[in-house]
Amino acid sequence: MKDMLKLIHDKAIAAFHEATEMKDIEDMKVKYLGKKGELTAILKEMGKLSAEERPIIGQLANEVRQDIENKLEEAKKRLEAAEISKRLETEKIDVTMPGKPQPSGHKHPMSIVIDEISNIFMGMGYEVIEGPEVEQEYYNFEALNIPANHPARDEQDTFYIGNGILLRTQTSPIQVRTMEKGKMPIRMISPGTVYRSDEVDATHSPVFHQLEGLVIDKNITMGDLKGALAVFAKELFGEDTKVRFRPHHFPFTEPSAEMDVTCFACGGEGCRVCKGEGYIELLGCGMVHPKVLKMSGIDPDEYSGFAFGMGLERVAMQRYGITDMRLLFENDVKFLKQF
């Protein structure tokens, strides 16, 4: 048995020295040390030895196993080092070669407009507040002085989920939620996505963006509203921009107005874009209705305020001369690369 152990030892050591691939090492490990390997087969014959021979052969078998395992590890390290050396030789990188250009994205025109408008109002002391897009009917309509039978609901026909829950038609509910907290004064804007069941065409979409603002404090007047929005328009469209206010009606403001700005295309001289008027409608605004203040827990005899809201797609279209709203949603890379 000693001769057999020595033979297995010598065969294994010679095989490890001759191995050229890692697969050979694994195969030899199974051949000599595996459960059905040659060394294991010898050890199974230990029971046939006498009591005197058994410890001697057992010690020798352990020494043979240990030496084979050591030589196996040495062979593995040798082959791994050879493989790394070969890869370094064949996979050289020319660090002087110019790198491959990696295309990088940039902000969507809607994101550009939202960020720019938000920054303008934050610079004027306003806070940006967000709210739920899945809204309660109360906050979307009743709290804004639009009861169940009000015709404005027909104009804002939307996606109802059921049990007084709907996809918001405007970001105004965030204003109500902010007023209900009762923390005065309030200077806030609320940009976000809104939903109405409109047909898709060049100027309409069932999903679009609005930004609404609200100021509540003591002694707020229509003059404060006009001054704030005039500054905003100049910051957004340029110092030469003029504004024009026209009387209008909104259920949640009284008095109400629509604000126009001088046409970006002709500078107010009149052109095809502004249909010869020299002005383009930008937003709706007005003094917060006393009833809306009361419903939100604010005393209209002590506080007053103004609110305004604008469709951000309209701003982006005016800003960049886009004639079809669908371009903003179609993700055409050729179109988006212009911004």
Side-chain angles (χ1 to χ4, degrees), residues 17 44 134 140 172 176 186 188 236 251 336:
H17 280 300
K44 288 180 179 179
V134 179
N140 197 81
S172 300
V176 177
I186 297 172
M188 59 153 287
L236 185 63
L336 296 176

Side-chain angles (χ1 to χ4, degrees), residues 20-71:
T20 57
E21 295 183 9
M22 290 297 294
K23 183 180 182 299
D24 297 336
I25 297 294
E26 295 301 322
D27 291 343
M28 283 183 271
K29 181 178 179 181
V30 173
K31 179 179 179 180
Y32 294 109
L33 302 177
K35 291 182 179 180
K36 297 182 180 180
E38 294 184 15
L39 184 59
T40 305
I42 293 294
L43 295 178
K44 288 180 179 179
E45 302 293 324
M46 292 278 290
K48 299 178 181 179
L49 299 175
S50 65
E52 292 79 12
E53 291 179 311
R54 200 172 297 143
I56 298 172
I57 298 300
Q59 181 179 355
L60 179 60
N62 287 334
E63 291 174 357
V64 169
R65 174 182 286 276
Q66 186 63 51
D67 196 36
I68 291 176
E69 289 177 347
N70 291 339
K71 293 297 189 290

Side-chain angles (χ1 to χ4, degrees), residues 47-288:
K48 299 178 181 179
L49 299 175
S50 65
E52 292 79 12
E53 291 179 311
R54 200 172 297 143
I56 298 172
I57 298 300
Q59 181 179 355
L60 179 60
N62 287 334
E63 291 174 357
V64 169
R65 174 182 286 276
Q66 186 63 51
D67 196 36
I68 291 176
E69 289 177 347
N70 291 339
K71 293 297 189 290
L72 182 146
E73 289 301 319
E74 290 176 8
K76 285 177 65 175
K77 291 179 180 179
R78 173 175 60 81
L79 293 178
E80 287 174 352
E83 185 178 341
I84 292 174
S85 178
K86 182 179 179 181
R87 289 181 61 188
L88 290 173
E89 185 65 28
T90 58
E91 298 179 11
K92 287 182 178 179
I93 299 175
D94 186 354
V95 296
T96 64
M97 290 182 64
K100 295 181 180 179
Q102 296 294 327
S104 58
H106 56 78
K107 287 185 177 180
H108 190 279
M110 287 305 305
S111 296
I112 296 173
V113 168
I114 291 172
D115 291 347
E116 187 169 354
I117 294 177
S118 297
N119 288 334
I120 291 172
F121 280 108
M122 284 192 289
M124 296 166 63
Y126 288 65
E127 180 183 5
V128 179
I129 299 179
E130 297 181 346
E133 294 181 16
V134 179
E135 186 56 274
Q136 297 179 35
E137 194 171 4
Y138 170 78
Y139 286 105
N140 197 81
F141 292 123
E142 279 88 348
L144 294 167
N145 200 29
I146 307 176
N149 59 351
H150 199 285
R153 291 211 182 191
D154 295 333
E155 298 174 3
Q156 296 190 28
D157 188 21
T158 185
F159 300 97
Y160 286 86
I161 297 173
N163 297 322
I165 304 296
L166 48 76
L167 298 182
R168 67 184 181 188
T169 65
Q170 52 201 356
T171 53
S172 300
I174 303 174
Q175 299 175 347
V176 177
R177 291 178 176 274
T178 302
M179 286 191 290
E180 284 185 343
K181 294 178 181 178
K183 186 178 179 180
M184 300 295 171
I186 297 172
R187 285 177 176 80
M188 59 153 287
I189 57 170
S190 53
T193 308
V194 297
Y195 306 85
R196 299 183 187 181
S197 56
D198 291 336
E199 295 290 335
V200 177
D201 59 29
T203 57
H204 295 86
S205 171
V207 183
F208 58 101
H209 299 80
Q210 279 191 343
L211 182 142
E212 303 202 23
L214 175 71
V215 173
I216 302 290
D217 204 347
K218 295 180 179 180
N219 303 316
I220 297 295
T221 67
M222 192 74 175
D224 297 310
L225 179 153
K226 296 176 70 174
L229 294 182
V231 170
F232 157 69
K234 290 179 182 294
E235 289 289 330
L236 185 63
F237 294 108
E239 192 62 34
D240 295 331
T241 302
K242 297 179 181 179
V243 298
R244 181 179 70 179
F245 292 84
R246 294 178 288 104
H248 196 69
H249 169 73
F250 298 110
F252 37 87
T253 54
E254 181 60 38
S256 303
E258 287 190 336
M259 189 184 86
D260 306 329
V261 296
T262 46
C263 176
F264 64 89
C266 64
E269 296 182 2
C271 67
R272 179 181 58 83
V273 175
C274 60
K275 299 179 181 179
E277 292 190 11
Y279 283 87
I280 296 177
E281 178 185 334
L282 181 64
L283 56 82
C285 58
M287 302 301 293
V288 180

Side-chain angles (χ1 to χ4, degrees), residues 270-329:
C271 67
R272 179 181 58 83
V273 175
C274 60
K275 299 179 181 179
E277 292 190 11
Y279 283 87
I280 296 177
E281 178 185 334
L282 181 64
L283 56 82
C285 58
M287 302 301 293
V288 180
H289 199 293
K291 186 175 180 180
V292 173
L293 293 174
K294 284 183 179 180
M295 293 178 70
S296 300
I298 298 175
D299 185 356
D301 294 326
E302 184 177 2
Y303 290 97
S304 58
F306 64 80
F308 56 89
M310 68 191 82
L312 294 176
E313 277 77 8
R314 174 177 293 178
V315 175
M317 292 171 73
Q318 292 177 352
R319 184 73 180 278
Y320 298 116
I322 300 170
T323 57
D324 194 324
M325 183 188 294
R326 288 169 291 194
L327 291 170
L328 294 169
F329 298 99

